[in-house]
Amino acid sequence: MTISDSPHETTPHETSPLETIPLTTIDGKSTSLADLGDKVFLIVNVASRCGLAPQYKKLEEMQKTYGDRGFSVLGFPSNQFLQELSTDDAIKEYCSTTWGITFPMFEKVKVNGKNAHPLYAELTKAPDSSGKAGKVKWNFEKFVITRDGAVHRFRPTMQPDSPEIVALIESSLPIG
């Protein structure tokens, strides 16, 4: 992530606290946002048995459309709303076979409360378009982190390919 006067030029920056939070992939590997590179991220708390699960298809389409330009969807399964499969292996299998997911997936996390994953503890400080921060409302809440480290929040029912999200992502990526 970098600080930028223009969405198409980047300059070195100081490390954002979000970049250094330890993350664990669905395969059990340790990583962080910094390790994933200087990208625009769309972070989503996902759940396999949620009525919003068809958003996986649009998330994967966005990964394929923008992935080569410095963008990545990051999926964080959560059973906090009691709609996720019981094991990371089952989640991985479901995402692969049902939706053909190629974007990075992470181990199951809590997104709310005192045991919320540190990444979500930070992300939920960001307000949505109505100015409300705080708890994740439901599965498939979306957070876009632009290269300048700004966090933009979109509630669960907003589709990943909505004009607001697409415009934000496109304006944050190099022309390509």
Side-chain angles (χ1 to χ4, degrees):
M1 291 174 218
T2 58
I3 296 174
S4 172
D5 295 327
S6 148
H8 309 298
E9 289 181 37
T10 58
T11 56
H13 73 291
E14 302 218 3
T15 302
S16 158
L18 290 173
E19 290 180 281
T20 61
I21 294 171
L23 305 173
T24 304
T25 69
I26 203 160
D27 295 320
K29 295 183 179 116
S30 295
T31 191
S32 67
L33 293 180
D35 292 341
L36 298 174
D38 183 25
K39 295 182 179 180
V40 174
F41 294 109
L42 174 56
I43 296 174
V44 186
N45 62 301
V46 295
S48 304
R49 298 295 176 237
C50 180
L52 298 176
Q55 287 188 25
Y56 269 121
K57 181 179 181 189
K58 292 178 181 180
L59 292 166
E60 181 60 23
E61 288 170 0
M62 292 181 73
Q63 180 66 39
K64 288 180 176 167
T65 299
Y66 299 110
D68 291 342
R69 291 179 53 201
F71 167 81
S72 185
V73 174
L74 304 178
F76 286 84
S78 179
N79 195 37
Q80 205 138 25
F81 303 106
L82 306 176
Q83 295 186 315
E84 187 52 275
L85 298 170
S86 60
T87 68
D88 286 340
D89 286 340
I91 295 164
K92 185 175 167 184
E93 174 72 15
Y94 169 81
C95 289
S96 174
T97 59
T98 305
W99 303 107
I101 297 305
T102 62
F103 56 80
M105 293 287 293
F106 294 83
E107 70 180 355
K108 270 197 297 191
V109 298
K110 291 193 184 284
V111 297
N112 290 325
K114 66 180 181 175
N115 294 319
H117 188 281
L119 178 64
Y120 273 87
E122 287 301 312
L123 291 175
T124 55
K125 293 176 183 176
D128 61 14
S129 62
S130 69
K132 293 183 182 171
K135 288 184 176 185
V136 168
K137 299 278 185 198
W138 195 246
N139 303 308
F140 292 88
E141 190 144 331
K142 295 150 209 72
F143 297 87
V144 175
I145 303 175
T146 56
R147 283 194 161 137
D148 63 1
V151 177
H152 303 265
R153 186 178 193 160
F154 301 92
R155 296 298 181 172
T157 56
M158 181 168 286
Q159 293 297 309
D161 61 352
S162 70
E164 298 91 334
I165 294 175
V166 168
L168 177 61
I169 291 168
E170 288 183 349
S171 71
S172 301
L173 294 174
I175 297 171

